[in-house]
Amino acid sequence: MPTPSMEDYIEQIYILIDEKGYARVSDIAEALAVHPSSVTKMVQKLDKDEYLIYEKYRGLILTPKGKKIGKRLVYRHELLEQFMRIIGVDEDKVYNDVEGIEHHLSWNAIDRIGDLVQFFEENKERVESLRGIQKQNEEQQ
């Protein structure tokens, strides 16, 4: 099982390959705000653990195992952002809140949050009811 740090790299590599068709060490470093040498070390570890294939100076590709995990990590991140918006978290806090919790939730918890998001999206009146409760609570403070 990948560590939270490994997950961040796999997720970012998956996103870069999806958007650009490739992921270079410099692109990964820029996206994660880390030094290229740190990326190289992690990429070598991910290669060793068979999440990707890395050839020095040639680039990297995700293995089927890496693609599967990358896709799931992107789903988790997007689902949590969606959840934060539904429950009314301020937009400027959504990304940091998701980054803060995504590695600490079990996949079972992620699945239940997915159920809850679906529950709210199937009937927009539920979201409106939630907003009403939030407004009441804010007025009482």
Side-chain angles (χ1 to χ4, degrees), residues 44-58:
Q44 290 168 343
K45 179 167 180 36
L46 292 171
D47 183 28
K48 179 178 168 270
D49 292 349
E50 300 179 348
Y51 292 106
L52 55 81
I53 299 167
Y54 173 66
E55 293 182 28
K56 195 172 183 178
Y57 306 117
R58 294 186 138 232

Side-chain angles (χ1 to χ4, degrees), residues 1-29:
M1 211 51 207
T3 65
S5 180
M6 292 167 75
E7 286 183 348
D8 286 339
Y9 279 84
I10 294 169
E11 181 181 6
Q12 193 56 58
I13 291 165
Y14 182 90
I15 290 168
L16 285 167
I17 290 173
D18 188 52
E19 290 176 355
K20 297 171 69 171
Y22 60 89
R24 297 180 311 208
V25 167
S26 59
D27 298 324
I28 299 164

Side-chain angles (χ1 to χ4, degrees), residues 56-69:
K56 195 172 183 178
Y57 306 117
R58 294 186 138 232
L60 55 93
I61 58 168
L62 289 169
T63 62
K65 173 181 169 181
K67 285 180 189 174
K68 181 179 178 184
I69 290 174

Side-chain angles (χ1 to χ4, degrees), residues 91-110:
E91 190 61 37
D92 63 330
K93 294 180 176 38
V94 168
Y95 181 82
N96 285 336
D97 285 350
V98 169
E99 286 295 311
I101 67 168
E102 67 183 339
H103 299 294
H104 301 284
L105 297 172
S106 69
W107 285 104
N108 181 254
I110 297 297

